[in-house]
Amino acid sequence: SRLTSQVASPRLPTRASLPYPRPTLARTAAMLTSRFMRATKMIVGVSVKDIEGSSAAMKKALFFAQPGDHISAIHVPTLMPEMMLSSMSDPGDASEDALLALSNMPTKAGAAMMDKMRQVAAAEMALTGKTINIDYKVSAPTSSVKSGLLAACRYEGANVLIIGAGVGGKGSIPPFVAQNADGVTVCIVRDHIQ
């Protein structure tokens, strides 16, 4: 006699046999509304010293971003040290235009960096087909960029902070924010580091 074994094929559940109801239009609308209310506010830290890391951070933020999310690219410039003024023979002899130019240098460099971030974001959105709302901001210069970046996160109500790893992957800001960014998820992008 022949032995035949019958293997029961598993039956996939049908829509009617699922333990939860089929989503209605109202339920779908409620889920979408909930998604938009939970939209993520991301901050991308932008550094003049680490252009490659800042670009990688912007690309990673756009990779994570979903419809309804908001990204703010923020550069916190370093306050010009008072030592530069003390190296002048007499800072009082400097014209107002010279002092204004010295105080505006960090902000101008930040504005140029924001133009670079706009280009990176536009290229990445064209590549991925996403349309995400992005703000580009240069904060007031500060003597502590690390604390200034965390203050910007608090001010913006950020859920996520995405930054590059610093020049050569050895920056001092990433470990500082990883230790001190309470209530914010920190992503340090190292994809571009070889």
Side-chain angles (χ1 to χ4, degrees), residues 46-74:
V46 177
S47 170
V48 174
K49 293 178 185 175
D50 186 20
I51 296 170
E52 190 178 2
S54 298
S55 299
M58 177 60 78
K59 289 177 182 177
K60 188 62 73 173
L62 288 166
F63 174 77
F64 288 147
Q66 297 295 317
D69 290 349
H70 184 84
I71 298 173
S72 288
I74 297 181

Short mmCIF file of all heavy atoms in Angstrom, two decimals, residues 46-74:
data_model
loop_
_atom_site.label_atom_id
_atom_site.label_comp_id
_atom_site.label_asym_id
_atom_site.label_seq_id
_atom_site.Cartn_x
_atom_site.Cartn_y
_atom_site.Cartn_z
N VAL A 46 23.93 72.60 11.33
CA VAL A 46 24.75 72.95 10.17
C VAL A 46 26.04 73.60 10.66
O VAL A 46 25.99 74.55 11.44
CB VAL A 46 23.98 73.90 9.22
CG1 VAL A 46 24.85 74.32 8.05
CG2 VAL A 46 22.71 73.23 8.72
N SER A 47 27.16 73.10 10.18
CA SER A 47 28.47 73.60 10.59
C SER A 47 29.26 74.08 9.38
O SER A 47 29.32 73.40 8.36
CB SER A 47 29.26 72.50 11.29
OG SER A 47 30.59 72.88 11.49
N VAL A 48 29.87 75.25 9.52
CA VAL A 48 30.73 75.77 8.46
C VAL A 48 32.00 74.94 8.35
O VAL A 48 32.53 74.75 7.27
CB VAL A 48 31.06 77.26 8.73
CG1 VAL A 48 32.06 77.80 7.73
CG2 VAL A 48 29.79 78.09 8.71
N LYS A 49 32.45 74.38 9.46
CA LYS A 49 33.67 73.58 9.48
C LYS A 49 33.46 72.19 8.88
O LYS A 49 34.40 71.60 8.37
CB LYS A 49 34.18 73.42 10.91
CG LYS A 49 34.66 74.71 11.53
CD LYS A 49 35.11 74.46 12.95
CE LYS A 49 35.49 75.73 13.66
NZ LYS A 49 35.81 75.49 15.07
N ASP A 50 32.25 71.64 8.99
CA ASP A 50 31.99 70.28 8.55
C ASP A 50 30.89 70.28 7.48
O ASP A 50 29.76 69.86 7.71
CB ASP A 50 31.58 69.41 9.74
CG ASP A 50 31.42 67.94 9.38
OD1 ASP A 50 31.97 67.51 8.34
OD2 ASP A 50 30.73 67.22 10.13
N ILE A 51 31.23 70.76 6.30
CA ILE A 51 30.27 70.87 5.21
C ILE A 51 29.78 69.49 4.79
O ILE A 51 28.59 69.26 4.59
CB ILE A 51 30.89 71.63 4.01
CG1 ILE A 51 31.21 73.06 4.42
CG2 ILE A 51 29.96 71.59 2.81
CD1 ILE A 51 32.04 73.83 3.42
N GLU A 52 30.70 68.54 4.70
CA GLU A 52 30.35 67.18 4.29
C GLU A 52 29.40 66.53 5.31
O GLU A 52 28.41 65.89 4.94
CB GLU A 52 31.62 66.34 4.13
CG GLU A 52 31.39 65.01 3.48
CD GLU A 52 32.68 64.22 3.28
OE1 GLU A 52 33.77 64.70 3.68
OE2 GLU A 52 32.59 63.12 2.73
N GLY A 53 29.68 66.70 6.59
CA GLY A 53 28.83 66.15 7.63
C GLY A 53 27.46 66.81 7.68
O GLY A 53 26.45 66.15 7.89
N SER A 54 27.43 68.12 7.46
CA SER A 54 26.16 68.85 7.44
C SER A 54 25.30 68.39 6.26
O SER A 54 24.09 68.22 6.40
CB SER A 54 26.41 70.36 7.36
OG SER A 54 27.10 70.81 8.49
N SER A 55 25.93 68.19 5.11
CA SER A 55 25.21 67.70 3.93
C SER A 55 24.66 66.30 4.18
O SER A 55 23.51 65.99 3.83
CB SER A 55 26.11 67.70 2.70
OG SER A 55 26.55 68.99 2.40
N ALA A 56 25.46 65.44 4.81
CA ALA A 56 25.02 64.08 5.12
C ALA A 56 23.87 64.10 6.12
O ALA A 56 22.92 63.31 6.02
CB ALA A 56 26.18 63.26 5.66
N ALA A 57 23.92 65.03 7.08
CA ALA A 57 22.84 65.14 8.06
C ALA A 57 21.55 65.59 7.39
O ALA A 57 20.46 65.09 7.72
CB ALA A 57 23.24 66.12 9.17
N MET A 58 21.63 66.52 6.45
CA MET A 58 20.43 66.98 5.73
C MET A 58 19.84 65.84 4.91
O MET A 58 18.63 65.62 4.91
CB MET A 58 20.77 68.16 4.83
CG MET A 58 19.59 68.65 4.01
SD MET A 58 18.17 69.20 4.98
CE MET A 58 18.72 70.80 5.50
N LYS A 59 20.69 65.08 4.25
CA LYS A 59 20.20 63.94 3.47
C LYS A 59 19.53 62.90 4.37
O LYS A 59 18.51 62.33 4.01
CB LYS A 59 21.35 63.30 2.68
CG LYS A 59 21.85 64.15 1.54
CD LYS A 59 23.04 63.50 0.86
CE LYS A 59 23.59 64.37 -0.25
NZ LYS A 59 24.78 63.78 -0.88
N LYS A 60 20.11 62.65 5.54
CA LYS A 60 19.54 61.68 6.47
C LYS A 60 18.20 62.17 7.00
O LYS A 60 17.26 61.39 7.14
CB LYS A 60 20.51 61.40 7.62
CG LYS A 60 20.11 60.28 8.54
CD LYS A 60 20.03 58.94 7.84
CE LYS A 60 21.38 58.38 7.53
NZ LYS A 60 21.34 57.00 7.01
N ALA A 61 18.09 63.46 7.28
CA ALA A 61 16.82 64.02 7.76
C ALA A 61 15.75 63.86 6.69
O ALA A 61 14.61 63.48 7.00
CB ALA A 61 17.00 65.50 8.11
N LEU A 62 16.10 64.09 5.44
CA LEU A 62 15.12 63.92 4.36
C LEU A 62 14.78 62.44 4.16
O LEU A 62 13.65 62.11 3.80
CB LEU A 62 15.65 64.53 3.06
CG LEU A 62 15.66 66.06 3.08
CD1 LEU A 62 16.49 66.60 1.93
CD2 LEU A 62 14.25 66.59 3.03
N PHE A 63 15.72 61.55 4.42
CA PHE A 63 15.44 60.11 4.35
C PHE A 63 14.43 59.71 5.42
O PHE A 63 13.50 58.94 5.16
CB PHE A 63 16.75 59.33 4.53
CG PHE A 63 16.56 57.85 4.62
CD1 PHE A 63 16.33 57.09 3.48
CD2 PHE A 63 16.63 57.20 5.85
CE1 PHE A 63 16.15 55.72 3.56
CE2 PHE A 63 16.46 55.83 5.94
CZ PHE A 63 16.22 55.08 4.79
N PHE A 64 14.59 60.24 6.64
CA PHE A 64 13.67 59.92 7.74
C PHE A 64 12.32 60.60 7.60
O PHE A 64 11.32 60.10 8.10
CB PHE A 64 14.27 60.34 9.08
CG PHE A 64 15.42 59.50 9.56
CD1 PHE A 64 16.44 60.06 10.30
CD2 PHE A 64 15.49 58.14 9.29
CE1 PHE A 64 17.51 59.30 10.76
CE2 PHE A 64 16.54 57.37 9.75
CZ PHE A 64 17.55 57.95 10.48
N ALA A 65 12.28 61.75 6.98
CA ALA A 65 11.08 62.59 6.96
C ALA A 65 9.91 61.94 6.22
O ALA A 65 10.10 61.27 5.21
CB ALA A 65 11.40 63.94 6.33
N GLN A 66 8.75 62.15 6.80
CA GLN A 66 7.49 61.68 6.21
C GLN A 66 6.62 62.90 5.92
O GLN A 66 6.88 63.98 6.45
CB GLN A 66 6.77 60.75 7.20
CG GLN A 66 7.54 59.49 7.53
CD GLN A 66 7.71 58.60 6.32
OE1 GLN A 66 6.79 58.40 5.55
NE2 GLN A 66 8.91 58.07 6.13
N PRO A 67 5.57 62.75 5.12
CA PRO A 67 4.68 63.89 4.88
C PRO A 67 4.16 64.46 6.20
O PRO A 67 3.78 63.71 7.10
CB PRO A 67 3.55 63.29 4.05
CG PRO A 67 4.17 62.10 3.38
CD PRO A 67 5.17 61.56 4.36
N GLY A 68 4.21 65.76 6.33
CA GLY A 68 3.76 66.42 7.54
C GLY A 68 4.88 66.75 8.50
O GLY A 68 4.72 67.55 9.40
N ASP A 69 6.04 66.12 8.33
CA ASP A 69 7.20 66.44 9.17
C ASP A 69 7.77 67.79 8.76
O ASP A 69 7.53 68.28 7.66
CB ASP A 69 8.28 65.37 9.04
CG ASP A 69 7.89 64.05 9.69
OD1 ASP A 69 6.87 64.03 10.41
OD2 ASP A 69 8.59 63.05 9.47
N HIS A 70 8.52 68.38 9.66
CA HIS A 70 9.12 69.69 9.41
C HIS A 70 10.60 69.63 9.77
O HIS A 70 10.96 69.11 10.82
CB HIS A 70 8.41 70.76 10.25
CG HIS A 70 8.90 72.14 9.97
ND1 HIS A 70 8.42 72.88 8.93
CD2 HIS A 70 9.84 72.89 10.58
CE1 HIS A 70 9.04 74.04 8.91
NE2 HIS A 70 9.92 74.07 9.91
N ILE A 71 11.43 70.17 8.90
CA ILE A 71 12.88 70.20 9.13
C ILE A 71 13.32 71.65 9.24
O ILE A 71 12.93 72.48 8.43
CB ILE A 71 13.65 69.50 8.00
CG1 ILE A 71 13.25 68.03 7.90
CG2 ILE A 71 15.15 69.65 8.18
CD1 ILE A 71 13.83 67.30 6.69
N SER A 72 14.15 71.94 10.23
CA SER A 72 14.80 73.24 10.35
C SER A 72 16.30 73.02 10.32
O SER A 72 16.84 72.31 11.16
CB SER A 72 14.42 73.95 11.65
OG SER A 72 13.09 74.40 11.60
N ALA A 73 16.96 73.62 9.33
CA ALA A 73 18.42 73.60 9.28
C ALA A 73 18.89 74.82 10.04
O ALA A 73 18.53 75.95 9.70
CB ALA A 73 18.90 73.64 7.84
N ILE A 74 19.67 74.61 11.09
CA ILE A 74 20.08 75.72 11.95
C ILE A 74 21.60 75.75 12.08
O ILE A 74 22.24 74.74 12.37
CB ILE A 74 19.45 75.60 13.35
CG1 ILE A 74 17.92 75.69 13.21
CG2 ILE A 74 19.99 76.67 14.28
CD1 ILE A 74 17.18 75.62 14.51
#
